[in-house]
């Protein structure tokens, strides 16, 4: 296992991890501030000011609404919802490249200081994968670049799956991942190695 | 460097065999002295009759190499040192991707995809063209698209192959007959399966026999019993008959049993199994809830009767009469045409009085009706719901009649107004070309048009007011119908078994594969496993989504409002429409 950061100056959140079977491009949910000051802007925080305000507010309104069950239920719902939001923040997203087999897009969610609680994975095998491209798209009021895996499906329709869907890193990161995946997946057959399936 | 697919429960040394196309996939490990023995065994297996189906979908298995399991295992999963006979000579550490070998009778399997589509498929054509003309696009490595399907078939059949090979190996020394008898397809699930069917078929319980007979042939009886063909449509539009038909279809499918499936097709076998038990569970749930409802009805029978008699006549008859009288006498200060209004209200009241007379003669029979409802609910809550639908239809017949009358008059008036509008603009509707053309009318035609226009202008508010009354009543009845039909669809099609299976054993309903990466104990290495996603909810509830779309399309509020405003007749979902969704 070998872990490198190909863009240490501007985008240290991208790391490339080499395993014997595959290669992982991992983007963590933080970035450096774009004004060059070197501050870290975190996407997934372990605590915020609202977490301190919430107990305060509840302690103020508790004596008034202690008797009514509806308000109790509402308060429990609010607390539960805030815990849920804190525990399903995106920790990191990765693209795993299995040469000759396919690529897998992963999203790891959880509480920032612990190991990931939920992982959602999507494996696209090599015979379905048509291409791995960088597209430009509109997101809210901005134009953003995103990485997309173009693949067919069982019903013979073509679909797009977006890599790093929640973090949406900036272009230099995308370029790095794009070149890596293209080299691994689409140039393999030029070397005289085991054929792709 | 490419990986070998290794079964994660194999941890012995010997000769490993499997498939080398499309990629190296080891099915198991043979313990033999020399490789020629192993080769001979594999060849005998490849020629035997039971494995022909397997070879068709996976390819012929062969001896791949020799493997030695090192005693110092760093991880809890096997990492043997393999020396392959075929392919290029390998350097030291080969990498492994582990997969689970599922027992043939456990009904677990891998599947490449679910049948539903995922995410968005945007502008399919545009994407295809852009891919085709993209000069920077490297030639894709899409080889024959079923290579992965072959690999998945290999994973699914690995255990069966191993069992067969071991059986063959032992069969060399012992008498083959008793072994072939043991190797027959006996298992927990399929045995239970056939047991249930046998139990149903050979059941000596008279009630079950009679009930199934009645259900299965009720449609033919109900049609044959009605001599008059005219009543056929009326009868078949009753919800009750529809419900009986749907139940009969389900039972018929159950009783027909299950066709035997060749060994390789795990998906078909599993889906048959799931469908069978799902239908069984739905019917049993239905019966249980129906019997509980029956108890409830039985206990409060007197209260229901009393409530019914008290409330119904008051609301359905006297209320309407009050409202009609109110409309007749300048409702809210609105001046209506006196003669027409009187004629309308008197004729509607006459209709309602007629119906009321009929209702009074039927009142003594209401306990019998309630008894019939109880009996129906003993057959399932869906029967009870269907009966309630039909009862509402019958008891609100007077509203339906009045509504039909008023909607006809209103519709005619509207159409007349539309054609008069054309007349005054100097246009005429051309039927041949289906458009309006300019036209010169004669003076007498214009005069007639003016007279008709004054008629309409003075009579329209009166007609409108009565139409609004009956249209609102009809809309509320339609909404009640909609909710009952939704409840009926909910009870009939809920995929409870599929959901429980998803919770209990997600590997039995797979919907795609993924690679799970796990750090080893030492933290330096990583193990990769092939796992299955469970079927997504959209696929499990796909019938629901379909049904819901049809219901929503028919009972959409905008559609209802448009029909009311334009004077078209509101109706329930016509039978042919609903028929295609009931399976």
């Amino acid at each position: 296992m070998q872990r490198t950061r190909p863009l240490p100056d501007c985008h240290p959140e991208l790391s490339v991890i080499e395993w014997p079977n595959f290669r992982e491009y991992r983007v963590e949910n933080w970035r450096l501030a774009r004004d060059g000051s070197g501050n870290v802007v975190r996407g997934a925080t372990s605590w915020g000011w609202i977490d301190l305000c919430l107990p305060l507010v509840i302690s103020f309104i508790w004596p008034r609404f202690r008797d009514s069950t509806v308000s109790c239920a509402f308060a429990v719902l609010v607390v539960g919802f805030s815990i849920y939001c804190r525990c399903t923040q995106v920790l990191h997203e990765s693209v795993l490249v299995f040469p000759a087999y396919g690529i897998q897009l992963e999203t790891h969610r959880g509480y920032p200081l612990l190991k990931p609680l939920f992982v959602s994975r999507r494996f696209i095998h090599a015979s379905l994968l048509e291409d791995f491209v960088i597209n430009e798209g509109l997101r809210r009021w901005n134009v953003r670049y995103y990485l997309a895996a173009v693949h067919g499906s069982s019903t013979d329709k073509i679909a797009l799956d977006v890599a790093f869907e929640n973090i949406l890193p900036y272009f230099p990161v995308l370029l790095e991942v794009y070149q890596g995946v293209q080299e691994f997946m689409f140039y393999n057959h030029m070397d005289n190695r085991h054929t792709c399936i | 460097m490419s990986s070998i697919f290794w079964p994660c429960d194999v941890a012995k040394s010997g000769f490993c065999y499997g498939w080398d196309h499309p990629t190296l996939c080891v099915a198991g490990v043979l313990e033999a002295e020399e490789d020629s023995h192993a080769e001979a065994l594999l060849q005998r297996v490849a020629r035997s009759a039971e494995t022909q189906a397997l070879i068709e979908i996976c390819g012929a298995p062969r001896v791949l190499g020799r493997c030695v399991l090192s005693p110092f295992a760093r991880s809890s999963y096997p990492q043997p040192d393999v020396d392959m006979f075929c392919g290029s000579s390998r350097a030291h550490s080969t990498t492994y991707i582990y997969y689970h070998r599922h027992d043939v009778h456990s009904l677990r399997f891998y599947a490449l995809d679910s049948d539903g589509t995922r995410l968005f498929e945007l502008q399919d054509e545009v994407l295809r063209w852009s891919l085709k003309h993209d000069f920077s696009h490297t030639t894709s490595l899409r080889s024959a698209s079923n290579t992965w399907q072959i690999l998945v078939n290999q994973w699914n059949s690995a255990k069966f192959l191993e069992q067969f090979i071991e059986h063959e190996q032992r069969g060399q020394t012992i008498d083959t007959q008793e072994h072939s008898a043991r190797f027959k397809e006996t298992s927990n699930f399929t045995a239970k399966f056939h047991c249930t069917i046998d139990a149903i078929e050979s059941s000596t319980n008279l009630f079950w026999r009679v009930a199934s007979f009645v259900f299965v042939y009720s449609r033919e009886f109900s049609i044959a019993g009605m001599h008059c063909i005219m009543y056929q449509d009326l009868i078949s539009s009753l919800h009750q008959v529809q419900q009986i038909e749907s139940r009969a279809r389900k039972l018929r499918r159950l009783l027909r049993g299950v066709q035997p499936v060749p060994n390789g097709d795990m998906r078909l076998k599993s889906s048959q199994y799931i469908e069978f038990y799902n239908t069984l569970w739905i019917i049993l749930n239905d019966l249980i809830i129906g019997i509980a409802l029956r108890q409830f009805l039985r206990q409060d029978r007197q209260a229901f009767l009393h409530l019914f008699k008290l409330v119904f006549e008051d609301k359905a008859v006297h209320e309407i009469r009050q409202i009609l009288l109110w409309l007749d006498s300048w409702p809210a200060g609105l001046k209506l045409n006196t003669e027409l209004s009187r004629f309308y209200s008197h004729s509607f009241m006459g209709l309602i009085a007629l119906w009321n007379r009929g209702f009074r003669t039927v009142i003594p029979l209401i306990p019998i009706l309630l008894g019939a409802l109880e009996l129906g609910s003993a057959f399932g809550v869906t029967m009870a719901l269907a009966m309630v639908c039909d009862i509402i239809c019958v008891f609100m017949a007077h509203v339906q009649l009045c509504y039909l009358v008023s909607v006809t008059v209103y519709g005619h008036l509207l159409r007349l107004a539309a054609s008069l509008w054309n007349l005054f603009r100097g246009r005429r509707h051309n039927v041949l070309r289906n458009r309006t053309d300019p036209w010169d009318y004669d003076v007498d035609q214009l005069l007639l048009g003016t007279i008709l226009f004054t008629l309409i202008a003075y009579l329209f508010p009166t007609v409108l007011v009565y139409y609004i009354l009956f249209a609102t009543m009809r809309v509320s009845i339609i909404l009640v119908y909609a909710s009952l039909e939704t409840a009926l669809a909910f009870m009939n099609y809920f995929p409870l078994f599929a959901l429980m299976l998803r919770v209990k054993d997600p590997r039995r309903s797979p919907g795609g594969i993924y690679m799970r990466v796990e750090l080893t104990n030492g933290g330096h290495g990583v193990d990769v496993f092939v796992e299955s996603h469970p079927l997504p909810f959209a696929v499990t509830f796909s019938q629901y989504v379909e049904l819901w779309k049809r219901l929503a399309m028919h009972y959409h509020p905008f559609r209802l409002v448009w029909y009311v405003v334009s004077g078209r007749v509101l109706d329930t979902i016509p039978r042919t429409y609903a028929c295609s969704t009931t399976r």
Side-chain angles (χ1 to χ4, degrees), chain B residues 422-440:
Chain B
N422 272 340
L423 175 82
F424 292 136
R425 280 163 63 213
R427 292 179 172 275
R428 184 186 70 160
H429 178 74
N430 188 342
V431 185
L432 282 174
R433 303 275 175 140
N434 204 21
R435 64 181 183 203
T436 50
D437 290 332
W439 185 251
D440 277 326

Side-chain angles (χ1 to χ4, degrees), chain A residues 1 19-22 96 98-99 101 104 106 121-123 125-131 150 152-161 182 185-187 189 193-194 196-197, chain B residues 1-3 5 22-23 95-97 112-114 117-121 124 127-128 131 134 137-138 140-142 147-148 151 513-517 519 524-526 528 533:
Chain A
M1 137 135 144
W19 295 106
N21 279 348
F22 59 93
L96 275 66
F98 293 85
Y101 296 132
Q104 174 155 297
E106 284 188 0
R121 304 175 176 96
R122 173 121 173 91
F123 180 70
H125 53 86
S127 54
L128 272 193
L129 185 68
E130 294 264 359
D131 202 357
V150 184
S153 57
S154 57
T155 54
D156 202 29
K157 278 188 175 205
I158 299 224
L160 286 186
D161 260 330
Q182 289 280 344
M185 290 300 301
F186 296 110
Y187 283 115
H189 64 271
R193 293 196 220 149
H194 192 70
C196 308
I197 57 160
Chain B
M1 161 171 44
S2 183
S3 319
F5 286 99
T23 185
T95 52
Y96 300 97
I97 297 183
L112 256 193
D113 49 31
S114 53
T117 51
R118 200 185 171 277
L119 281 187
F120 54 98
E121 283 116 7
D124 192 44
L127 269 174
R128 277 192 205 275
L131 278 175
D134 181 5
H137 173 57
T138 51
S140 101
L141 32 69
R142 283 188 74 153
T147 45
W148 269 85
L151 195 58
I513 53 175
Y514 65 92
M515 307 280 191
R516 180 168 59 95
V517 169
L519 287 173
H524 296 294
V526 83
V528 183
H533 281 300

Side-chain angles (χ1 to χ4, degrees), chain B residues 240-291:
Chain B
Q240 191 52 44
V241 176
Q242 285 180 28
Q243 183 53 35
I244 291 182
E245 258 189 289
S246 154
R247 179 59 57 83
R249 238 176 272 143
K250 284 208 180 89
L251 273 176
R252 205 179 293 161
R253 215 161 9 115
L254 272 184
L255 291 176
R256 218 186 308 143
V258 165
Q259 284 89 22
V261 164
N263 245 332
D265 205 348
M266 191 59 64
R267 190 169 220 167
L268 192 60
K269 210 195 271 189
S270 171
S271 71
Q272 264 181 357
Y273 176 85
I274 290 180
E275 257 184 44
F276 176 80
Y277 275 109
N278 205 19
T279 319
L280 198 64
W281 274 36
I282 286 177
I283 294 183
L284 286 178
N285 271 343
D286 205 8
L287 283 177
I288 291 172
I289 300 182
I291 291 177

Side-chain angles (χ1 to χ4, degrees), chain B residues 180-197:
Chain B
S180 56
R182 249 206 300 158
F183 199 70
K184 274 223 193 76
E185 202 186 314
T186 54
S187 74
N188 299 351
F189 296 111
T190 47
K192 261 199 284 186
F193 207 172
H194 289 293
C195 248
T196 327
I197 297 177

Side-chain angles (χ1 to χ4, degrees), chain B residues 103-121:
Chain B
D103 193 27
V104 169
H105 307 307
S106 69
L107 286 180
R108 294 181 180 175
F109 59 103
Y110 284 110
L112 256 193
D113 49 31
S114 53
D115 290 320
T117 51
R118 200 185 171 277
L119 281 187
F120 54 98
E121 283 116 7

Side-chain angles (χ1 to χ4, degrees), chain B residues 475-492:
Chain B
V475 164
S476 48
I477 292 180
I478 290 269
L479 288 178
V480 168
Y481 266 147
S483 48
L484 279 175
E485 274 184 17
T486 317
L488 211 60
F490 186 78
M491 283 304 308
N492 260 337

